[in-house]
Every structure is written in C-alpha cells, then in structure tokens.
Amino acid sequence: MTELLVDRHDDGVVLITLNRPDMRNAMTDAMTAQWHATMSSLAKDRDARCVVITGAGTAFSSGGDLSWIGDRGAEAVPLLRDRMLDFYRTWLMVTELEVPTIAAVNGPAVGAGLCVALACDLVYAAADAKLLAPFTSLGLHPGMAATYLLPRRAGTGLAREMLLAGRTVTGAEAAVKGLVNESFPKDDLMSEVRSIAGKIAKNAPIATRLTKVALNQDHQDLEAALRWESLAQPVTMASSDMIEGLAAHRERRVPKFTGS
C-alpha cells in the first residue's frame, strides 16, 4: 500500500493525502519514510506553488503509531531520544518548505497528527472534526513540538487545557479559539481549501515565498521588519513577475506569473 498519496495539479497545487484509513492514518514507519522522500522532493520542486495535506477516510491522523512501544520498553533513553527526534524532525520538514502549506483537517487530528496540521501555514477544519492532544493520559510527555505549536496557535490558556486537562475541541470551536483559521461543513471542506490553495498558487511565486519567510521570522521589532522588507521588496521589484503584475492590473486582466 502507498501510505502517502501525492497528486500534482496543473496550477501548482500539490495535494498530499495520508493514506492508512484502516489505522486512522497513524504515522507508521512506512508513511514516515514516504513523507521524508516527499518533503525532500518538494523542497526542490520549482513548479509547486502550494501544498495541501489531508487524510484518507474519516480521519486526518490519529498520531504516531505506538504499536512498537511495548516491544521497546527496555530500550535505553538515549536510543529512544534519537528515534523520537528523527521522527519529529522528519514530520516537521513541512515547516521548511518555501511554498505555503495548508492542512485540511477532515476528521480527528490527534497528538502528533494534530501537531503536523498546526505546523502548516494555514489550517482549515471540518466543523465536526475533533482536535486533541492526549499525551499525558497515555503516560507520555507531549512530542512533535506540541508545547510550542499549541500555545503559538491559540495561546497558553487553550494549550494548557488541551495538554494538561485533555480538552478536545471541535473544528468549529477551534476556529473560534484561533487554533485553526476557519471551519467548514465537512462536505465543503476540500472544495473550500482547494479554492484557497488555487488563489495562493495564482500569486507571484517569488513574492509569496519571501512573504512566508518574513512571516516565519517573527521580527523582534518594527525596525527588524523594515530592514527585511527594504531588502526583500527590491528583490521582487527586479523580477519579471512584478512587471507582469503591474501590466495585468493596468490592463484589468489576470496576471500570468512565471516565478522569474
């Protein structure tokens, strides 16, 4: 079974589907290896304009495949640390992509699966999807940067409730709390996300990639933002895409950006 489906569309949108519906898309070793290969490929793909991630079947992802833990209970902590760090870093390669990324949370997003969704630039969820991080109820400390991603998305209050008290939120509640950007009826989720991805894909690639870099920098102050923008904006001013964008605006037509 191909545990990761990759569909490339003509407009530059790449749809990645976690494909183990029989395991609620648990992050198996095979899926993890395929994810690593896919992220490595996308990092060099100059035709990709936007990446969308979703799950097959009724779930987004039930998180890490924990079936191996019982067989490794006697393994030393340093070896376990190396294994988990490699697992985390592989799945969080999505944060290193230069193009915008979107998580379409179609169903339950649990633990590490939720963290991968939150690591994307934009997150949209089905209104009835369940989002939870039940690490401590399993006797585990949170992983996959949960203690960073949850507070960063929705503040420390909700993060503490989810990580310490095991609070589960629906997609609709998550949108209100700011954990996800917006929620949609389940049947409309993919069409809505595909529309958003299409809009992103139509924008100028160089300007879009540099804007993502700026947003991820978390500028320390106003001056730091100005210094970055005074360099990045001239880069786009020297591009063919800016000439095309201005011409299209003047001629009242849709621009045709080439990434040059």
Side-chain angles (χ1 to χ4, degrees):
M1 174 185 289
T2 300
E3 299 196 13
L4 205 69
L5 303 178
V6 182
D7 298 308
R8 289 176 168 82
H9 298 268
D10 292 341
D11 61 355
V13 174
V14 181
L15 174 62
I16 299 175
T17 305
L18 310 182
N19 190 41
R20 278 304 301 266
D22 58 313
M23 296 179 63
R24 299 172 72 225
N25 302 319
M27 300 147 81
T28 65
D29 287 346
M31 185 186 290
T32 300
Q34 292 174 34
W35 179 269
H36 188 283
T38 299
M39 292 296 116
S40 298
S41 175
L42 284 173
K44 298 176 287 187
D45 188 342
R46 307 313 298 177
D47 294 324
R49 300 277 184 98
C50 183
V51 174
V52 176
I53 301 162
T54 194
T58 59
F60 179 80
S61 174
S62 59
D65 178 11
L66 303 180
S67 61
W68 59 273
I69 290 181
D71 299 329
R72 296 174 179 263
E75 193 164 343
V77 167
L79 293 177
L80 286 169
R81 176 189 181 274
D82 290 345
R83 176 187 174 98
M84 297 315 300
L85 195 56
D86 185 60
F87 177 70
Y88 302 153
R89 285 175 171 164
T90 293
W91 282 94
L92 293 176
M93 287 171 71
V94 68
T95 65
E96 300 168 12
L97 295 181
E98 293 183 352
V99 298
T101 56
I102 302 176
V105 181
N106 56 303
V110 183
L114 172 60
C115 292
V116 169
L118 298 181
C120 293
D121 297 307
L122 299 169
V123 188
Y124 299 96
D128 62 351
K130 293 182 178 180
L131 286 65
L132 61 156
F135 293 100
T136 55
S137 67
L138 298 173
L140 289 169
H141 186 283
M144 198 62 76
T147 55
Y148 171 81
L149 292 167
L150 278 166
R152 188 168 180 261
R153 280 281 180 179
T156 57
L158 182 58
R160 288 172 186 268
E161 280 192 287
M162 294 181 72
L163 293 172
L164 297 176
R167 177 173 174 179
T168 297
V169 297
T170 65
E173 292 171 328
V176 172
K177 295 287 187 178
L179 187 61
V180 304
N181 292 88
E182 194 171 349
S183 66
F184 300 106
K186 187 168 188 175
D187 292 342
D188 298 336
L189 175 66
M190 289 311 298
S191 63
E192 293 285 354
V193 168
R194 185 64 182 82
S195 176
I196 294 166
K199 291 176 182 178
I200 291 172
K202 289 179 181 177
N203 291 333
I206 297 172
T208 298
R209 289 170 184 246
L210 287 174
T211 299
K212 174 171 175 173
V213 171
L215 291 170
N216 286 344
Q217 283 188 40
D218 292 329
H219 299 298
Q220 293 184 345
D221 52 37
L222 180 65
E223 182 62 23
L226 293 179
R227 287 183 180 276
W228 166 261
E229 292 176 359
S230 68
L231 174 63
Q233 195 170 63
V235 170
T236 57
M237 286 177 174
S239 69
S240 298
D241 277 348
M242 191 209 69
I243 302 299
E244 166 63 11
L246 292 176
H249 179 74
R250 184 173 59 251
E251 297 164 12
R252 298 183 179 180
R253 60 176 175 81
V254 177
K256 296 180 180 179
F257 295 121
T258 61
S260 61

